[in-house]
């Protein structure tokens, strides 16, 4: 039987943002694993098989579009929901943002953590 604690992978190059997201998610009952760049995030996602991925778009070593494409074609990662959290708006991401491959896009602002927690609580089903 699986635990009902949802595992979230946070891929963010800013240590401060990564740790803030980790702390807020853990306070709200999520198990959190983190990665500091796209390559590390891809490897961790394949190994850990999280219930959800929260990722920045502008990452070192493997940028957002390439990372999403690789996650979507990976044997163990193709069905993991992805939430993009970026300083850029969806319009600014333009052709680089493919709505069909990610679940949500949140712009980094003062309420992003609250919106992120709400989205994760509502849309990641309990594991039994």
């Amino acid at each position: 039987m699986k635990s009902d604690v949802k595992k979230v992978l946070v891929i963010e190059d800013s240590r401060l943002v990564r740790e803030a997201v980790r702390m807020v998610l853990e306070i709200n009952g999520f198990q959190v694993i983190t990665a500091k760049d796209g390559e590390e995030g891809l490897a961790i996602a394949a190994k850990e098989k999280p219930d959800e991925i929260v990722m920045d778009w502008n990452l070192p070593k493997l940028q957002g579009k390439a990372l999403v494409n690789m996650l979507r074609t990976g044997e163990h990662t193709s069905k993991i929901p992805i939430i993009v959290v970026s300083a850029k708006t969806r319009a600014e991401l333009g052709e680089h943002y493919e709505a069909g491959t990610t679940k949500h896009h949140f712009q980094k602002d003062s309420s992003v953590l609250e919106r992120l927690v709400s989205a994760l609580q509502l849309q990641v089903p309990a594991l039994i």
Side-chain angles (χ1 to χ4, degrees), residues 11-98:
I11 309 171
E12 169 64 58
D13 59 317
S14 166
R15 184 183 62 79
L16 292 175
V17 173
R18 187 173 60 244
E19 288 305 306
V21 172
R22 181 190 60 77
M23 288 184 344
V24 168
L25 294 181
E26 286 177 348
I27 287 168
N28 283 278
F30 296 96
Q31 177 187 349
V32 180
I33 45 181
T34 63
K36 65 184 177 304
D37 60 54
E39 285 180 359
E40 183 180 43
L42 184 62
I44 290 173
K47 179 181 176 191
E48 296 288 332
K49 300 171 193 75
D51 300 305
E52 190 97 20
I53 296 172
V54 175
M55 60 172 274
D56 190 7
W57 194 255
N58 293 320
L59 293 165
K61 298 188 180 178
L62 195 56
Q63 287 284 319
K65 183 177 182 178
L67 177 56
V68 168
N69 288 339
M70 293 177 89
L71 288 166
R72 287 291 159 251
T73 59
E75 179 181 352
H76 300 291
T77 60
S78 64
K79 304 241 189 267
I80 301 171
I82 299 170
I83 296 175
V84 174
V85 179
S86 175
K88 294 184 178 205
T89 65
R90 187 177 289 195
E92 288 173 322
L93 294 174
E95 67 184 50
H96 301 292
Y97 178 78
E98 298 176 31

